Amino acid sequence: MADAVQEAKRADARVRQEVARTELADFRFRTAPGAYMCWWELPEPWRADTFVAAAVCRGIAVTPGAAFAVPPTAAHNAIRLGLASPTPDALSAALEALATMARSIPEHEPVD
């Protein structure tokens, strides 16, 4: 029974990582096989704190890399994406919304 549950969890994680690979294909992100999370390196000119705030305004919760940085190490300009909680369809929609947002210019950034 435990082996079946473990394999089901691994298969579910693979499905969710494939969703992330599809929706974030234009971006750099890192994950590990079987992980229910990934690190997304944000494109310029986005900063993690600004991106997190903009995501919250869209009803999407993500975590800035700084929350995981241990001093004196500086946090990378990245966010942690949890892949486990939403359904695969909801995950796809959320990642698509985040990718669209990442392709835009943050509201606080001056435009030439």
Side-chain angles (χ1 to χ4, degrees):
M1 175 82 157
D3 289 340
V5 170
Q6 182 179 31
E7 183 49 40
K9 289 289 191 184
R10 287 180 178 157
D12 181 55
R14 285 191 299 270
V15 166
R16 292 165 184 281
Q17 286 192 9
E18 183 58 33
V19 169
R21 273 191 289 282
T22 299
E23 298 299 341
L24 302 178
D26 298 340
F27 302 98
R28 290 179 47 164
F29 71 97
R30 295 178 309 238
T31 190
Y36 275 109
M37 56 76 63
C38 66
W39 286 102
W40 181 10
E41 297 176 33
L42 295 173
E44 293 291 335
W46 282 101
R47 293 289 162 248
D49 57 344
T50 307
F51 194 87
V52 169
V56 167
C57 290
R58 289 163 177 78
I60 303 170
V62 295
T63 308
F68 300 93
V70 178
T73 304
H76 293 282
N77 190 40
I79 58 171
R80 182 184 185 276
L81 299 173
L83 307 177
S85 295
T87 65
D89 288 341
L91 177 62
S92 179
L95 293 177
E96 180 181 10
L98 292 173
T100 298
M101 189 174 74
R103 290 182 189 98
S104 70
I105 298 171
E107 292 180 18
H108 78 282
E109 292 291 322
V111 180
D112 293 334

